[in-house]
Amino acid sequence: MSERIEVPERSGLLMTVEEVAVLWFGAVGEHGSASANCQKIRRLIPAHLPARRIGNRWYVSRAAAEAWAAGGDDALVMAHPDTRAARSGEVA
């Protein structure tokens, strides 16, 4: 499982999309570009991720962003069922 980079502690209830990208995806370049990671997050707004637009920036609920980071699925859940057992080390 990949290691997540911690976002510096800040006060307030909101995080910028860029801060959420660091929380979810780690350092820029590790799992794609910063622009691509931010765009992935913006696609979740507003249908799935609570956020608010202030000026030209989106701000995401800190509680929601941290809950998503803590409850993320392992990449194995996206594996095809026929190969999932083999990838997890189980004997089919």
Side-chain angles (χ1 to χ4, degrees), residues 18-67:
E18 292 81 6
E19 290 172 329
V20 176
V22 171
L23 176 68
W24 289 6
F25 300 109
V28 173
E30 183 180 341
H31 300 288
S33 71
S35 177
N37 291 341
C38 290
Q39 188 60 35
K40 290 173 190 173
I41 294 166
R42 286 185 194 102
R43 286 186 194 125
L44 296 173
I45 299 170
H48 305 287
L49 186 62
R52 173 172 292 202
R53 189 172 180 99
I54 302 172
N56 290 331
R57 300 190 77 136
W58 279 103
Y59 291 86
V60 177
S61 162
R62 181 178 299 277
E66 290 173 350

Side-chain angles (χ1 to χ4, degrees), residues 67-92:
W68 278 50
D73 292 329
D74 187 90
L76 187 60
V77 300
M78 294 302 293
H80 190 278
D82 292 345
T83 60
R84 193 174 297 153
R87 289 183 182 183
S88 67
E90 298 175 11
V91 177

